[in-house]
Amino acid sequence: MEDEIIDLFTSLKIPKTHVTVGLSNLLSSNKQYKSLFINRRLPDDGWSDIQIQHFLLTLSTLDTNHKTPSTTSAGGGGGNSSSRRWCGVGEREGRVYSNLVLQRHSGFTHGMGRSGDVTEPQPKAVGSSVLVKLTLWMVLDAIQR
């Protein structure tokens, strides 16, 4: 995967040394994310704001309310695709029209839990379900420390 990314970036005439530095930052963040899942505790060294935002946005994209609308339309017009949104109709599915609100909530708009149990995984909200579990682990770790 790394070699493929390096090839793609260098095809844009970006020097390989520059690409390598950028990828090392990305891989470092990915190792920290993986460590959070493996250790199930607060990290010893805090994450940067960008790492936290990236992690939350990545998790939020796993929820079904982030389906992208079809690129084909009846009129075939070249309108702005961001004006068309997919919207589910379940009682817990997120319905957010304003991008400002979506950004404010890191992309999370889907409900969490099932049948009154906030810890029960929601099949249409994998990212939200993961966030609930990770939050519980980190809170318990903070209490135990």
Side-chain angles (χ1 to χ4, degrees):
M1 175 80 172
E2 290 177 49
D3 292 335
E4 182 180 353
I5 293 172
I6 290 172
D7 292 342
L8 290 170
F9 284 13
T10 55
S11 74
L12 298 172
K13 306 290 189 232
I14 298 173
K16 187 175 182 175
T17 54
H18 298 171
V19 174
T20 304
V21 170
L23 281 178
S24 71
N25 291 339
L26 180 63
L27 293 174
S28 174
S29 290
N30 286 341
K31 286 179 184 175
Q32 288 178 311
Y33 304 156
K34 186 176 178 181
S35 175
L36 184 62
F37 285 100
I38 291 170
N39 297 318
R40 299 180 179 190
R41 60 186 298 256
L42 289 166
D44 292 328
D45 297 316
W47 293 358
S48 71
D49 290 348
I50 290 176
Q51 288 173 305
I52 294 168
Q53 290 171 341
H54 180 259
F55 184 71
L56 291 173
L57 286 171
T58 300
L59 286 180
S60 76
T61 61
L62 301 175
D63 291 357
T64 59
N65 60 294
H66 285 285
K67 287 183 181 178
T68 53
S70 171
T71 55
T72 59
S73 64
N80 182 355
S81 64
S82 66
S83 65
R84 293 174 36 231
R85 301 179 192 277
W86 179 86
C87 183
V89 293
E91 79 255 12
R92 291 186 184 100
E93 288 178 289
R95 294 171 195 84
V96 176
Y97 183 77
S98 169
N99 281 329
L100 184 61
V101 173
L102 190 65
Q103 291 170 4
R104 170 83 171 141
H105 297 281
S106 301
F108 289 102
T109 61
H110 209 297
M112 298 176 185
R114 294 177 61 90
S115 302
D117 183 355
V118 73
T119 63
E120 186 70 26
Q122 173 61 252
K124 293 182 179 180
V126 174
S128 297
S129 298
V130 168
L131 184 60
V132 167
K133 297 291 186 178
L134 286 174
T135 302
L136 287 173
W137 292 335
M138 289 188 291
V139 168
L140 289 173
D141 180 56
I143 292 170
Q144 291 171 355
R145 287 185 188 201

